[in-house]
Amino acid sequence: MIPLNKPNRKSVNGEYGDYVDFISSNFHGMNSYIFSSAGDGLHSIYKSLYKERGTLRVGVSPLACFQAIYPIVLNGHIPIFIDIDSDTFNMDINDLVKLPAIDVLEVIHFGGNPNEMDIICKWAQSKHVLLVEDCAQALGAFYKDKMVGNFGDYSVFSLMKNLYSISGGLLLSKNNMRSVYSSLPQHVILYKTMKRFLEARCSYKEYNVYNILYYILLLLKERGRKSIHGNCFQLTDKIVEEVTGCINQINHYNALRVKNAEYMINLIDDSKYMVQQVIKDGKTNRNRLLFKSMEVPAISVIKYLRKKGIAANNLTQNYLNGYQSNIKEDSILSGYCGSSDISCYERTFPFIFSIPNSPFLVKDEMKYITESLNNL
């Protein structure tokens, strides 16, 4: 199967970039912290805010992987859902400005697509609202020539999704955060290492033995999945060195990924599928190549593509089934949806899906993906 985020076969061989220089050059006045994931960074932020200020009302888009929203609830806060724009799939600015009072706004740059941050920042400043930027998919994306992650009081990035490392998340904060967490367990490191190794070698060709091993690994992981929790982990020094060593490759990775995305977009039938739109002053990194199907429900598209050996999904991080339910059907979040008008989300969500996109896809794979999609 072609993985959603196909990594490079080659590892970093000692040619490390300057992590400190990258942070200081691109993010001004921010303190940086490395966690095992962007989700861990969000947990740390909301845990810290709860200790300082108690329960807060947090505005957030419902169109996101639940792992971006659970940290709000699991750390004692209340999510207030903001409807989405049907073209950009980000939060609807018009819906945002009509919101009742909130204390925090989590801005998700969905798919690596930047939001209209000048309007958002001006609104947040006038309302004394803290900004949390979820840039999990958006390292190296820009709004008006400014890298996203610079606009908020806090921001988080996934180094796994953007740098194809075995693990890693980056948290930036305008305040010092002194929380100490235990190191990532060795069995988790082993799983992530094996997963990246196999993903780099997987193919849509059924006879590829790596596909079989990859499926078995994912099956073992899902069977052993525990209930949702808010534990956070720090990386070992060795992994931190490898992760931060890749960071100066982000512009190169993004350029290749955008090029691959444009190649596939041009091949896909736009009468059947609408690609996620980018705002005028935004520069996307196309970390997720997202589409809205015009007729066929996303769950059917995903099932069809997966049978063809293509790891399509919608929002979930579950690598086996690729489909996350409507937020109103989730056992944790459904109880918070009653007061929110998210009608555009409800109309759009059933038709949103993403296809594999990576700097390391080859043309044969991209042609196979687009031909399969057009033939549905």
Side-chain angles (χ1 to χ4, degrees), residues 80 108 152 284 371:
I80 308 296
I108 300 172
T284 180
E371 287 172 1

Coordinates of all heavy atoms in Angstrom, one line a residue, residues 80 108 152 284 371:
I80 N -15.5 25.1 21.9 CA -16.6 25.8 21.3 C -16.4 25.7 19.8 O -15.4 26.3 19.3 CB -16.7 27.3 21.7 CG1 -16.8 27.4 23.2 CG2 -17.9 28.0 21.0 CD1 -18.0 26.8 23.9
I108 N -6.3 25.9 13.5 CA -5.7 24.7 12.8 C -5.5 25.0 11.4 O -6.4 25.3 10.6 CB -6.7 23.5 12.9 CG1 -6.9 23.2 14.4 CG2 -6.1 22.3 12.2 CD1 -8.0 22.1 14.6
G152 N 0.7 33.1 17.0 CA 0.0 32.7 18.2 C 0.9 32.9 19.5 O 2.1 33.2 19.4
T284 N 0.7 27.3 0.9 CA 0.5 26.0 1.5 C 1.8 25.1 1.3 O 2.5 25.3 0.4 CB -0.7 25.3 1.0 OG1 -0.9 24.0 1.6 CG2 -0.6 25.1 -0.5
E371 N -5.2 7.9 -11.5 CA -6.0 7.1 -12.4 C -7.1 6.3 -11.7 O -8.2 6.2 -12.1 CB -5.1 6.1 -13.2 CG -4.3 6.8 -14.3 CD -3.3 5.9 -15.0 OE1 -3.2 4.7 -14.5 OE2 -2.5 6.3 -15.8

